[in-house]
Amino acid sequence: MRIPSFRSRWLASLALALCLCVPAMAIQAAEDVQPAVATSAAPGAAPADAAAPADAVAPADAAAADAAPAGDAQAAADAAAATEEGTRGLDEQIQDLKKQVVDLNKDLFVLEEELLFPANTQVAVFVSMDVGDFFGLDSVTLKIDDRDVSNYLYTPRETAALLKGGVQRLYVGNLKAGEHELVAFFSGKGPNERDYRRGASIRFEKGIGAKYLELKITDKVRRQQPEFEIRDWE
């Protein structure tokens, strides 16, 4: 029987030691891996745990999502109502401004007339018509003291307004106190649509204060002719 040498015994002892150490190292490694697995699994578990509250919050989020369109619709309705109210208020302000402008224009017109045509020198001439069956007015030429002061052409609408009772201020100017002469020439269509031109005149006294004269066109039914007269409004 061959006796093992020292080298062989040492190798056998090393092999036995390795056999004993490897299982122990494996067990230790397994124990070390388990905490690591538990630790690594914890972050994964956290989302799972967090998912549960997320599921629990989901109904509230859905309710908020359902409530959001209703809130937006109410806000839009409120904004529309506010806009409409603002527009209505703006329209009222514009109408008030227009009225103020009209009133201001009237005041300025009166002031201008008072400045340009003071009452102590003012003379005004008006035109009126009655019936108009025998004369269609086209124009009026006005002279004061042999001086042309107005030559007015009428439109059909203006003539219709005169026939309905309207009165037109044909001329306004200044005259010094004393005696003056007014001459008016009327042109238009007479009976049977013939061209018609007639004149009328008046001598009047201009005193202190405004003077008003009226050129009146009427129909003479018996003669079937128009008649022209000048009236002095004392």
Side-chain angles (χ1 to χ4, degrees):
M1 180 178 180
R2 185 178 179 180
I3 298 173
S5 62
F6 175 77
R7 181 185 178 97
S8 299
R9 289 197 302 271
W10 183 79
L11 291 174
S13 299
L14 182 60
L16 180 59
L18 289 174
C19 292
L20 294 176
C21 290
V22 168
M25 292 175 62
I27 294 172
Q28 185 64 34
E31 292 177 355
D32 293 340
V33 169
Q34 287 179 357
V37 172
T39 303
S40 61
D49 296 339
D55 295 337
V57 174
D61 293 340
D66 293 338
D72 293 342
Q74 183 63 35
D78 294 341
T83 302
E84 183 178 358
E85 183 177 357
T87 303
R88 189 184 305 112
L90 183 60
D91 290 340
E92 293 176 356
Q93 293 179 7
I94 292 175
Q95 295 302 323
D96 291 340
L97 288 176
K98 287 182 178 180
K99 185 178 181 301
Q100 293 177 12
V101 170
V102 171
D103 293 340
L104 180 60
N105 285 336
K106 290 180 180 178
D107 295 340
L108 291 176
F109 181 75
V110 172
L111 179 61
E112 181 183 13
E113 286 207 337
E114 291 178 353
L115 292 175
L116 295 177
F117 312 109
N120 59 338
T121 61
Q122 183 182 125
V123 58
V125 180
F126 299 85
V127 176
S128 65
M129 292 185 67
D130 182 21
V131 184
D133 290 336
F134 303 113
F135 182 73
L137 181 62
D138 288 337
S139 67
V140 174
T141 300
L142 201 63
K143 289 186 176 184
I144 296 179
D145 298 335
D146 292 330
R147 179 172 59 91
D148 290 339
V149 295
S150 177
N151 187 9
Y152 193 86
L153 298 176
Y154 289 87
T155 65
R157 179 177 295 181
E158 290 173 329
T159 304
L162 289 173
L163 290 174
K164 291 179 180 178
V167 177
Q168 176 207 9
R169 190 177 69 173
L170 178 64
Y171 169 77
V172 60
N174 295 308
L175 284 178
K176 63 182 181 179
E179 187 174 323
H180 301 275
E181 182 182 25
L182 172 68
V183 178
F185 296 97
F186 304 87
S187 299
K189 295 294 183 181
N192 302 318
E193 293 297 319
R194 292 178 300 176
D195 291 336
Y196 204 90
R197 181 177 173 85
R198 290 291 186 273
S201 64
I202 186 175
R203 299 191 68 87
F204 62 94
E205 185 75 20
K206 175 69 173 70
I208 298 175
K211 172 64 74 173
Y212 302 105
L213 302 169
E214 179 186 3
L215 309 180
K216 190 173 182 64
I217 306 171
T218 58
D219 284 342
K220 273 293 187 185
V221 179
R222 187 176 62 181
R223 297 175 54 188
Q224 294 189 350
Q225 293 287 334
E227 186 176 55
F228 307 91
E229 61 175 330
I230 303 176
R231 298 173 55 189
D232 186 353
W233 293 356
E234 296 290 346

